[in-house]
Amino acid sequence: MKQKPNLPFWGLWNLSFGFFGVQIAYALQSANISRIFATLGADPHSLSYFWILPPLMGILVQPIVGTLSDRTWTRIGRRIPYLFVGAAVAVLVMCLLPNAGSLGLTVSAAMIFGLLMLMLLDTSINMAMQPFKMLVGDMVNEQQKAKAYSIQSFLCNAGSVMGFVFPYFFAWIGIKKVAEKGVVPDSVIWSFYVGAAILILCVIYTTLKVKEWPPEEYEAYNGKQKDESRDAELKQKTESREQSGNWFVLLKNAPATFWKVGLVQFFCWAAFLYMWTYTTGTIAETIWNTTDVASEAYQAAGDWTGILFAVQAMGSVAWAMVLPQFKNTKLAYAVSLLLGGIGFALVPFVGNQHLLFVPFILIGCAWAAMLAMPFTFVTNALQGYGHMGAYLGLFNGTICVPQIVAAMAGGSILALIGSHQSSMMVVAGILLAVGACCVFAIKTDR
């Protein structure tokens, strides 16, 4: 197997630039879905159930996209067609979802319409997101992979900042942030419109700039590595893995690192699911002292949630520059998650909206590690296994399953701890601390 060439900085940048636009869409969804459905009339104890759809679509869509793109060869590439189609659908849905309360529907019908649009948005975002991870796996060598994922992490967080601040920005320039009961404010609606426009422009840029390798060249760089020193049993297992595309067979033969990183992922993504679900309600309770979703105070809390998420993203960008300075990768991963856990635990006890920047910067440290390190561990462990796209699609299950479990349990946990949404931040902090402990079970050697 030929050694993949080193790519120049702009080559690595172009591989992931479209991720900037995709992440704007994802940020708008993350910061505003609970706000949108609460505005439509959802009860706080049922809010987490709406969050079952995003990871459910991820766990269904991404393995399919990974497997199909492994077998796809077109004039414009094997991963890029899926990226472009996913982005095009996302643009359409982003223009429809925030208008769920403006169509003259009953509360129940508006909820159903919103759920349908959310399902389509999650499907399309996942379809657009997965190819970027696979492009790095396809075209970047091991020496540059951490750098490539760091660039992807930077673009991801930069897109997040823009998406998170849009509602606050549009309210600041005079677009209405309050609407009649059951209707999403114009500031949120216009945020989705502008985010959709940026998404399609970024994806067009990547489509024009990135030239995927043709089949022969791809196989030369990514085909099975022959090594006569390997014993016959290992060679037989490797051949079997490469000949079979069955997901269950692939999971059975996955390296131990795949599963151990997945255990860490379980606690991390459950924690962040609770952040996305309950932060707006937490800020409304602790800073604005309201639970009235139709009030101006609640909508102000929703706007400030976007600012706090942007601070988290900026903290993540800064921490992503610190992570490579750690000589011990596992220590860097664990410390990052522990800092994030401390940040979550502090949120309910901070009574000043600007002082909340501190815990959300700490939460950003965990986010930086979660974006870059799992894929570095796993893609390195998968070298020589074949089916890289299918494996990364399956690995997405370690992101989706914990969110589904957390969403299903969220309402019960909230009722159990007293129905104060702020208490869910402490639950998130405990989950991240447990994830930090699990990091030390990962072995980086193959």
Side-chain angles (χ1 to χ4, degrees):
M1 180 165 74
K2 290 173 61 177
Q3 174 67 32
K4 296 176 186 176
N6 284 329
L7 296 178
F9 172 82
W10 290 112
L12 297 173
W13 177 274
N14 292 338
L15 279 177
S16 295
F17 182 74
F19 207 77
F20 175 78
V22 174
Q23 196 61 27
I24 289 177
Y26 189 72
L28 285 167
Q29 173 187 284
S30 300
N32 294 286
I33 288 304
S34 287
R35 178 184 184 178
I36 288 172
F37 282 101
T39 300
L40 293 176
D43 181 83
H45 292 85
S46 63
L47 272 182
S48 67
Y49 301 141
F50 295 103
W51 285 92
I52 293 175
L53 279 176
L56 181 61
M57 290 300 101
I59 202 171
L60 292 175
V61 172
Q62 295 207 27
I64 294 173
V65 171
T67 301
L68 291 178
S69 65
D70 278 343
R71 302 169 184 173
T72 297
W73 297 102
T74 69
R75 186 173 59 85
I76 62 172
R78 62 198 311 233
R79 316 294 189 186
I80 286 177
Y82 296 90
L83 159 65
F84 193 83
V85 172
V89 175
V91 166
L92 175 63
V93 177
M94 288 175 71
C95 295
L96 294 173
L97 172 60
N99 288 295
S102 307
L103 303 176
L105 304 174
T106 64
V107 173
S108 297
M111 289 279 194
I112 293 172
F113 178 83
L115 280 171
L116 178 61
M117 291 300 101
L118 178 58
M119 182 180 68
L120 290 174
L121 180 60
D122 294 325
T123 301
S124 56
I125 287 178
N126 276 288
M127 190 174 181
M129 187 179 296
Q130 184 69 0
F132 289 107
K133 301 170 186 175
M134 294 186 289
L135 282 171
V136 173
D138 288 347
M139 302 183 70
V140 179
N141 60 42
E142 280 197 42
Q143 291 73 28
Q144 288 190 302
K145 199 164 287 180
K147 182 178 180 180
Y149 280 124
S150 294
I151 291 172
Q152 195 169 99
S153 178
F154 170 81
L155 289 168
C156 173
N157 285 289
S160 294
V161 169
M162 185 169 288
F164 289 144
V165 302
F166 271 170
Y168 184 89
F169 172 76
F170 286 124
W172 179 73
I173 63 174
I175 296 177
K176 291 175 61 177
K177 67 177 181 181
V178 179
E180 59 186 275
K181 186 176 181 180
V183 176
V184 177
D186 287 346
S187 58
V188 176
I189 293 174
W190 276 98
S191 297
F192 275 78
Y193 289 169
V194 175
I198 296 174
L199 166 59
I200 197 64
L201 290 174
C202 290
V203 168
I204 289 173
Y205 176 89
T206 289
T207 302
L208 294 175
K209 290 291 185 179
V210 174
K211 304 300 179 185
E212 295 187 70
W213 292 323
E216 299 78 10
E217 192 171 359
Y218 175 86
E219 290 174 5
Y221 287 122
N222 293 279
K224 184 182 71 172
Q225 183 175 5
K226 296 181 179 180
D227 187 347
E228 299 300 331
S229 66
R230 294 180 178 180
D231 58 80
E233 181 181 0
L234 179 58
K235 291 175 69 175
Q236 184 178 3
K237 288 182 179 179
T238 303
E239 290 170 1
S240 174
R241 280 193 292 266
E242 294 189 352
Q243 290 169 358
S244 174
N246 184 284
W247 294 344
F248 294 104
V249 174
L250 293 176
L251 288 173
K252 179 181 176 181
N253 292 315
T257 298
F258 181 97
W259 297 105
K260 291 177 179 178
V261 175
L263 178 63
V264 179
Q265 293 271 82
F266 182 89
F267 295 104
C268 294
W269 287 95
F272 274 81
L273 186 281
Y274 290 145
M275 182 190 79
W276 296 322
T277 305
Y278 297 110
T279 297
T280 297
T282 296
I283 304 308
E285 287 178 3
T286 59
I287 304 298
W288 272 270
N289 300 312
T290 186
T291 57
D292 180 6
V293 297
S295 67
E296 184 175 353
Y298 185 89
Q299 297 302 331
D303 289 344
W304 196 249
T305 295
I307 296 297
L308 292 175
F309 284 4
V311 169
Q312 171 221 312
M314 289 186 286
S316 182
V317 170
W319 190 249
M321 300 176 186
V322 176
L323 285 175
Q325 308 307 315
F326 282 84
K327 293 183 179 180
N328 186 319
T329 308
K330 290 196 295 184
L331 179 62
Y333 196 4
V335 168
S336 301
L337 298 183
L338 185 58
L339 289 173
I342 293 170
F344 275 127
L346 288 174
V347 170
F349 305 102
V350 177
N352 180 284
Q353 67 186 88
H354 295 96
L355 287 179
L356 281 170
F357 290 169
V358 174
F360 276 88
I361 287 172
L362 295 177
I363 292 169
C365 296
W367 186 243
M370 287 168 58
L371 287 177
M373 291 191 170
F375 287 98
T376 300
F377 283 127
V378 170
T379 55
N380 285 342
L382 288 173
Q383 292 300 316
Y385 272 70
H387 299 288
M388 178 68 77
Y391 266 120
L392 289 182
L394 291 168
F395 184 68
N396 187 64
T398 67
I399 296 173
C400 300
V401 170
Q403 293 183 69
I404 294 171
V405 173
M408 294 176 65
S412 299
I413 295 174
L414 179 61
L416 184 65
I417 60 179
S419 296
H420 292 292
Q421 296 186 51
S422 57
S423 299
M424 296 300 289
M425 298 295 105
V426 177
V427 173
I430 293 171
L431 289 170
L432 270 190
V434 174
C437 295
C438 293
V439 167
F440 295 101
I442 301 171
K443 292 184 179 180
T444 55
D445 58 314
R446 291 203 302 265

